Amino acid sequence: MAAVAFTHCRRGLFQALASGPVRVFSPNFVNGVRRKSGVQYISRPDLPKLAYRKVKGKSPGVVFLPGYGSNMSGEKAQALEDFCRSLGHSCLRFDYTGHGASEGVFSEGTIGTWKKDVLFMLDEVAEGPQILVGSSMGGWLMLLAAISRPEKTKALVGISTAADYFVTAFKSLPIQSRKEFEDKGTWAIPTKSNEEGFYTVSLDFLREAENHCILHSPIPITCPVRLIHGLKDEDVPWHVSMQVAERVLSPDVDVILRRHGQHRMAEKDDIKLIVYTIDDLIDKLTTLA
């Protein structure tokens, strides 16, 4: 396990972390796009509208991908937007189909559904090269998007990355438990990330997710990759990030393990580390450019 130190911090970073949430109030309609308290909605042919918040600015931009059942209004997402504003870089955060303020039915969503959401936002809303920041399931989607859109992806930051996790966790269950869940048609996954204490997914969801597993072979990603994971993560074990690091083809990969870090990585020091990591990557990418 290597120690990681960040030796620089550009102007505006501490102010972004210290200030409260930034609120943007806009007219209800701007250029034909409906807005509400800074939230915009984009239509897609025959698909649910997606809610998003976008800050225009310099490249590379930052795109935040939330976790399963989460949304774009969390502490990490807000901190990244505040940070990007402070440096004048663009920032995009949005809700997947069936999540947060977006349209759609959550229980009908799949990994493939949400991958399409990410690719649509990269193609139609994000401008220029991006640093993708994925939390939990968002880390899995981040990797899938980087494979599909290498020209748009300049770096990746995974937070408690849950690559392949639903599938591998189910397959690791005892045979009898798997059979019981298969007979029932659903699987209740224990978690500390919501009030219910579990997520319920269908077997159809799991079967579809198998089509998007990436840890069984080399991952064709060559951009810089940073993977942050907590050793006390009780939802997605930290060795998943180690597996990702071992399989990506990039020569520039760092894994940062937080001794007391938990799955959400939402403590103040966790968020600082995430922001420092992105700041370091922006500096690296702009220097190379």
Side-chain angles (χ1 to χ4, degrees):
M1 185 189 307
V4 180
F6 295 93
T7 57
H8 76 283
C9 183
R10 294 175 301 172
R11 187 169 62 182
L13 177 58
F14 287 120
Q15 290 91 329
L17 289 170
S19 62
V22 176
R23 303 298 180 192
V24 180
F25 296 96
S26 308
N28 286 336
F29 289 89
V30 177
N31 297 327
V33 178
R34 182 164 63 92
R35 302 181 63 143
K36 181 180 179 182
S37 299
V39 176
Q40 304 181 54
Y41 296 83
I42 188 164
S43 299
R44 300 177 292 170
D46 303 318
L47 290 172
K49 292 179 181 178
L50 296 179
Y52 70 97
R53 287 181 57 113
K54 181 181 178 182
V55 174
K56 291 187 176 182
K58 298 180 292 185
S59 294
V62 174
V63 178
F64 181 74
L65 307 178
Y68 179 81
S70 188
N71 58 62
M72 63 175 167
S73 300
E75 296 163 304
K76 294 188 292 290
Q78 182 64 65
L80 294 189
E81 180 176 300
D82 293 345
F83 166 66
C84 288
R85 284 181 183 277
S86 75
L87 290 184
H89 281 260
S90 67
C91 183
L92 172 65
R93 48 187 170 124
F94 65 97
D95 290 333
Y96 312 125
T97 298
H99 287 66
S102 288
E103 293 182 348
V105 180
F106 174 71
S107 61
E108 295 177 359
T110 64
I111 297 299
T113 299
W114 301 322
K115 174 187 173 182
K116 289 179 182 178
D117 293 348
V118 176
L119 296 181
F120 178 83
M121 297 302 286
L122 284 177
D123 292 341
E124 303 298 329
V125 180
E127 299 176 15
Q130 303 293 323
I131 297 173
L132 305 186
V133 182
S135 177
S136 192
M137 183 191 74
W140 186 358
L141 297 174
M142 167 192 80
L143 295 166
L144 294 173
I147 294 170
S148 297
R149 298 291 186 273
E151 72 285 355
K152 295 278 289 191
T153 308
K154 293 305 178 183
L156 302 178
V157 178
I159 306 163
S160 308
T161 300
D164 297 10
Y165 183 65
F166 294 111
V167 177
T168 55
F170 184 75
K171 289 182 176 180
S172 68
L173 294 173
I175 294 177
Q176 184 59 36
S177 296
R178 290 206 305 264
K179 187 177 185 307
E180 290 174 2
F181 291 131
E182 287 169 354
D183 292 341
K184 187 177 180 181
T186 59
W187 177 36
I189 310 172
T191 180
K192 291 188 175 180
S193 297
N194 63 23
E195 294 181 357
E196 291 79 11
F198 60 89
Y199 294 124
T200 301
V201 299
S202 69
L203 292 183
D204 288 339
F205 176 92
L206 290 171
R207 293 189 185 104
E208 196 279 339
E210 288 185 9
N211 299 323
H212 306 285
C213 289
I214 56 177
L215 293 180
H216 54 276
S217 60
I219 302 173
I221 291 173
T222 57
C223 65
V225 178
R226 303 292 180 264
L227 301 165
I228 304 171
H229 217 123
L231 293 180
K232 295 189 181 298
D233 188 335
E234 296 184 18
D235 289 334
V236 180
W238 58 268
H239 64 72
V240 175
S241 284
M242 298 299 293
Q243 289 179 294
V244 173
E246 290 170 357
R247 286 164 176 72
V248 292
L249 299 180
S250 172
D252 185 0
V253 181
D254 289 335
V255 178
I256 305 168
L257 299 177
R258 298 281 288 167
R259 180 177 179 182
H260 299 293
Q262 300 184 29
H263 184 67
R264 293 185 65 248
M265 294 292 290
E267 298 297 323
K268 185 176 180 180
D269 286 343
D270 296 331
I271 293 175
K272 281 184 178 180
L273 175 60
I274 294 165
V275 172
Y276 291 163
T277 302
I278 296 168
D279 184 59
D280 188 64
L281 283 170
I282 289 175
D283 188 57
K284 180 185 184 75
L285 293 171
T286 53
T287 299
L288 291 175

